Amino acid sequence: MAYSDKVLDHYENPRNVGSFQAEDSDVGTGMVGAPACGDVMKLQIKVNEAGVIEDAKFKTYGCGSAIASSSLVTEMLKGKTLDQAMDIKNTHIAEELALPPVKIHCSVLAEDAIRAAITDYRSKNLMEAEGYNACKSAA
Amino acid sequence: MNTLSDTNYFELFGLAPRFTIDMHSLEQSFRQLQSELHPDRHAGNSEAEQRVALQKSTQVNDAYRTLRNPVTRARCLIDLAGVLGLEAKTLTPGFLMAQMEWRESIEDARHAGDVVALDALSKRLKHKVSIQEKDLASALDDEANFQLAEQRLNELFFYQKLRSEIDDALDQLDK
């Protein structure tokens, strides 16, 4: 399958690969997986006191599109507030990387990872936010 | 002759719809059915009857393939249960973290060309899969908990991926 130049670029030079200490209170960790392809993705955000994402790191085991999606997402997240980050949709990722239809699920996985990381950060810091229910996410 | 959509794969082979099945009975019923459906036996029949026998033979093949494989057999049982709105609970962070570690270990061993480590991982995985299949069997056969079964099945897909990653690495090092 032909990957777009952007996918290849992120695949060959992935940005922000690595980890933060998941226990740190300013770190949110999102772990997601896709049973259909067996891909696993870990996305971490580091949030400053102003509620802005200062840094992001990822580690993904999966196809080129999954790696490119998570790499791109770490770049998109930096400088965004948590609410702005919540607005990132898989369609933005898929468009930016020109993903073919069969690879859309990789961008969905990346979107899920963003949400999981933010939810983790918020539940750790018990932040109130619209549509966020601490009891529900703790279950 | 009935169309197969009216019946289910288990009934077709005279098996109870359970995850734990007798492979030997399945094999025997399969051979029996295929011999009954063989074109030679229907040579004297009308064209329509011959076509039905041929279609049925194809469906028997599909059914056999589906039931022989634990993953597709489980899928079939969950679908048969027809529970609406069934959605597997999301994979637990613990499970996903363990998956990360498996992938890391496999990648490390692949880079190091460490066949011994890969063999050890392969053995460990085999053990994991057999436990997973037992859990799946008890969720389906003993508890009829289809939501839990769905989750166990989803996890099993990840183990399949690990299997192919380990086999790929071993193949690569073999060359």
Side-chain angles (χ1 to χ4, degrees):
Chain A
M1 193 191 58
Y3 282 121
S4 71
D5 289 346
K6 278 208 166 153
V7 170
L8 282 176
D9 179 34
H10 277 279
Y11 180 65
E12 282 163 9
N13 311 293
R15 332 287 202 260
N16 310 306
V17 176
S19 298
F20 300 126
Q21 285 292 329
E23 304 80 36
D24 290 354
S25 65
D26 61 343
V27 170
T29 303
M31 296 275 307
V32 291
C37 50
D39 287 358
V40 274
M41 192 179 280
K42 180 173 82 174
L43 178 71
Q44 291 185 303
I45 50 172
K46 193 173 249 206
V47 184
N48 69 18
E49 278 154 17
V52 173
I53 298 169
E54 255 180 3
D55 205 358
K57 286 200 185 296
F58 84 96
K59 188 150 200 189
T60 292
Y61 287 96
C63 65
S65 301
I67 290 167
S69 295
S70 31
S71 169
L72 173 72
V73 156
T74 57
E75 286 193 323
M76 290 169 96
L77 285 172
K78 284 189 202 179
K80 284 199 165 57
T81 66
L82 294 178
D83 286 341
Q84 287 167 341
M86 268 309 215
D87 285 339
I88 297 175
K89 294 277 177 295
N90 83 285
T91 46
H92 302 149
I93 302 162
E95 260 170 46
E96 180 72 23
L97 293 173
L99 294 180
V102 292
K103 291 291 174 185
I104 296 297
H105 70 275
C106 298
S107 63
V108 174
L109 200 60
E111 181 191 321
D112 288 347
I114 297 173
R115 282 157 200 282
I118 294 172
T119 304
D120 178 59
Y121 175 81
R122 282 182 169 160
S123 66
K124 259 179 172 173
N125 292 277
L126 290 174
M127 269 171 63
E128 292 297 322
E130 203 185 347
Y132 176 68
N133 182 333
C135 297
K136 206 173 159 193
S137 71
Chain B
M1 225 182 284
N2 282 336
T3 56
L4 263 184
S5 53
D6 299 326
T7 167
N8 75 48
Y9 285 173
F10 290 89
E11 279 172 7
L12 189 64
F13 297 110
L15 295 167
R18 287 170 60 84
F19 182 75
T20 310
I21 54 172
D22 179 358
M23 284 298 171
H24 186 65
S25 305
L26 173 64
E27 182 85 33
Q28 269 187 330
S29 306
F30 171 68
R31 286 182 196 287
Q32 172 74 30
L33 278 170
Q34 284 303 22
S35 102
E36 283 167 18
L37 294 165
H38 196 277
D40 289 354
R41 291 212 178 190
H42 300 267
N45 295 357
S46 74
E47 211 174 289
E49 282 169 325
Q50 290 187 34
R51 199 166 48 235
V52 170
L54 190 66
Q55 276 171 355
K56 193 152 183 179
S57 166
T58 310
Q59 285 167 319
V60 166
N61 282 331
D62 286 344
Y64 178 63
R65 252 198 317 272
T66 303
L67 296 192
R68 220 173 33 165
N69 178 322
V71 168
T72 46
R73 184 166 70 245
R75 178 79 267 153
C76 183
L77 277 169
I78 296 170
D79 290 346
L80 270 179
V83 189
L84 289 174
L86 184 76
E87 209 176 307
K89 282 203 187 120
T90 44
L91 300 149
T92 65
F95 176 81
L96 289 166
M97 197 58 90
Q99 283 300 308
M100 272 292 178
E101 281 162 14
W102 273 98
R103 299 292 285 266
E104 271 163 12
S105 307
I106 295 167
E107 202 177 74
D108 288 350
R110 186 206 287 262
H111 281 312
D114 192 341
V115 176
V116 177
L118 284 168
D119 280 337
L121 286 166
S122 173
K123 234 175 164 176
R124 231 178 84 205
L125 181 63
K126 217 179 218 167
H127 181 64
K128 268 278 190 216
V129 168
S130 81
I131 293 173
Q132 190 73 13
E133 285 181 2
K134 271 186 202 137
D135 286 350
L136 187 55
S138 92
L140 285 167
D141 296 346
D142 305 336
E143 300 168 47
N145 183 341
F146 295 101
Q147 192 178 24
L148 181 65
E150 185 86 49
Q151 189 178 354
R152 294 286 169 260
L153 181 58
N154 274 342
E155 290 166 357
L156 198 54
F157 282 122
F158 284 89
Y159 290 127
Q160 278 192 332
K161 177 70 181 180
L162 294 177
R163 168 54 55 208
S164 74
E165 288 287 312
I166 291 174
D167 290 348
D168 279 357
L170 283 168
D171 279 353
Q172 195 190 336
L173 295 175
D174 216 25
K175 280 170 198 155

